[in-house]
Structure formats: C-alpha cells, structure tokens
Amino acid sequence: MSGEEEKIYISYNCVHKHCQKAAEEILTTIGKPDVIVAIGGGGFIPSRIIRTFLKQQGEKNIPIQAIGLSLYEDMGTGSDTIGKEVIRTQWLDFGALAQHFDSLIGKNILIVDEVDDTRTTLHYALTELYQDIKENAEKLGKNMGDTKLSIFVVNNKLKPKRAELNKELMNGGIYISGEDVDDKWIAYPWESDDIDTHTKHAIAQGNN
Ligand SMILES: O=P(O)(O)OC[C@H]1O[C@H](OP(=O)(O)OP(=O)(O)O)[C@H](O)[C@@H]1O
C-alpha cells in the first residue's frame, strides 16, 4: 500500500466542526477561557476557529497568544530519554500580555494544537506555562489561585505516548480532542498544495 493511501485526510470543514463541538463542551464544563495559547504552526488555524464559538454575544474577543514549539530529534539521547526535544521558537511575552491582564495568575487558559501525537509538545507546553505562571506569582508574592490549564487538539492519535499530562498542573482544566484517530499520517488542509483533491479525499474518508 502506498503512503498516500495510508494518510488520513482532514478537510477545513472537519476542523471547523471539531472546533465548534469542542467549544460547546468547554463552555459547559470549564466556562469561557480568558486566553487561548496557540501552539504554532498547527495550532493557529484551530485557535482562530474555536475563538469564534467561544465568544459570547456582546463580549470581547478572547485574546490568542502564540507560542512556537518545534520537535527535533535529540541526537544525544539515551534509550531512557524522550528521544525528541522541544525547541521554543517563540514564547509568551508577559510584558505584552499585561495590556490585557495583570497576569495569567488565576486565569482560565486554553492551549490549542492540531495534533497530539507522542504528546511531547503538549507536555512541554503545559509544564513550561505552569512553571512560568508560578514563577510570576511567586515574584508578586501570590499563589496560583484558580489558574486552570485546559487543552484542545483537533486530533489525538491513539498510540503509546512519550509523556503524560500532569492533571495537578491542569487544576480542573480539561483535555479535549475533536476526534481520536489511528496512528497514521494526518494530512491537514493547510499543508495541501491541491486543496480540491485533498478535500475529495477527506470527503471519501468521511472527514468533512
Ligand atoms: O505530540 P508530538 O509528538 O509532540 O507532536 C505534535 C506536534 O508536532 C507538530 O509540530 P511540528 O514540530 O511539526 O511543528 P509545526 O506545528 O510548525 O508543523 C504538531 O504541530 C504538534 O505541535
């Protein structure tokens, strides 16, 4: 079987509908997030879409903050290590954030990415964000208060993960995937150089 046939094709419609459904669940469980943290590049488009459905009439748009995380093979890795390392290419600018909030302390934070593959990236994002907020709180002589960290991914791959998400750090925050899928290559529409053919494949697979 060729690589092409192995891929799962996801259409823009499909991403949109997963975002809509996840937003409903978020609003009925943890309530409206104060800020969305988009993990670039794959988390950018889903973040913008989900914001549409999280916004309530007459209210301000939820700010989207971008962080850039990339996975690199860790050449010096031993057999007991994670095998891939996460590189920060962009991080939160707490100075700029201060225009919107006094800080992220006590806020309802939603982290968004397109795919949870080995979970390395989400684990890194959750742990590092928590740590930064905690350090910020300590500097201000505060505690973490009711800071909640939740996660939305368009797709979660059903496979053994290289890292687990620490529920304690999430503090009642939730994890939602639009759809759990087999451990196959996922073709997202924003990566396509032929969107019409891509969408046809997605429709044929029921991913529209
Ligand atoms: O669960 P994991 O195994 O950590 O993999 C998931 C991550 O991998 C991809 O990022 P990539 O580094 O390819 O960057 P991109 O989003 O810019 O494509 C994807 O966007 C996720 O962030």
Side-chain angles (χ1 to χ4, degrees):
M1 193 182 279
S2 79
E4 280 302 300
E5 286 162 301
E6 290 284 350
K7 285 184 188 172
I8 299 172
Y9 288 87
I10 306 286
S11 69
Y12 279 115
N13 269 16
C14 184
V15 175
H16 208 94
K17 287 173 190 171
H18 285 323
C19 289
Q20 182 166 14
K21 195 162 144 278
E24 284 164 16
E25 193 177 332
I26 289 165
L27 290 173
T28 55
T29 51
I30 53 158
K32 195 179 85 160
D34 297 302
V35 61
I36 295 168
V37 176
I39 304 178
F44 291 162
I45 295 174
S47 291
R48 178 58 190 86
I49 297 172
I50 202 168
R51 185 176 80 172
T52 295
F53 297 108
L54 290 170
K55 186 182 174 179
Q56 281 149 3
Q57 230 181 350
E59 289 186 359
K60 279 189 184 164
N61 279 328
I62 301 168
I64 299 175
Q65 293 291 319
I67 58 174
L69 298 177
S70 281
L71 275 178
Y72 288 94
E73 292 294 337
D74 181 356
M75 303 310 281
T77 190
S79 56
D80 57 342
T81 62
I82 219 159
K84 280 188 173 175
E85 72 173 319
V86 181
I87 304 290
R88 283 187 190 193
T89 54
Q90 189 183 337
W91 197 246
L92 293 181
D93 178 348
F94 284 97
L97 271 174
Q99 292 172 8
H100 295 283
F101 317 109
D102 45 354
S103 73
L104 289 182
I105 306 159
K107 298 294 190 289
N108 195 0
I109 301 160
L110 179 66
I111 302 167
V112 176
D113 208 349
E114 93 281 32
V115 64
D116 176 355
D117 185 4
T118 65
R119 205 161 273 173
T120 310
T121 304
L122 286 173
H123 172 264
Y124 181 95
L126 174 67
T127 312
E128 295 289 305
L129 272 171
Y130 179 90
Q131 196 53 37
D132 273 19
I133 300 165
K134 190 161 172 271
E135 277 169 23
N136 191 225
E138 279 163 6
K139 265 188 221 154
L140 297 167
K142 295 182 178 178
N143 61 32
M144 288 291 277
D146 199 24
T147 311
K148 240 190 245 328
L149 289 149
S150 298
I151 293 168
F152 165 62
V153 287
V154 177
N155 295 111
N156 170 43
K157 287 193 189 176
L158 296 169
K159 64 191 286 184
K161 303 294 186 182
R162 286 204 176 107
E164 280 312 318
L165 302 169
N166 184 341
K167 288 262 160 62
E168 271 180 41
L169 304 190
M170 294 169 79
N171 185 35
I174 56 172
Y175 172 97
I176 305 180
S177 96
E179 190 175 18
D180 292 345
V181 296
D182 291 341
D183 184 16
K184 292 182 180 169
W185 184 286
I186 305 177
Y188 286 103
W190 45 84
E191 293 162 346
S192 175
D193 54 12
D194 177 357
I195 194 62
D196 294 327
T197 305
H198 177 101
T199 307
K200 277 182 200 152
H201 285 312
I203 291 169
Q205 292 181 347
N207 297 325
N208 192 46

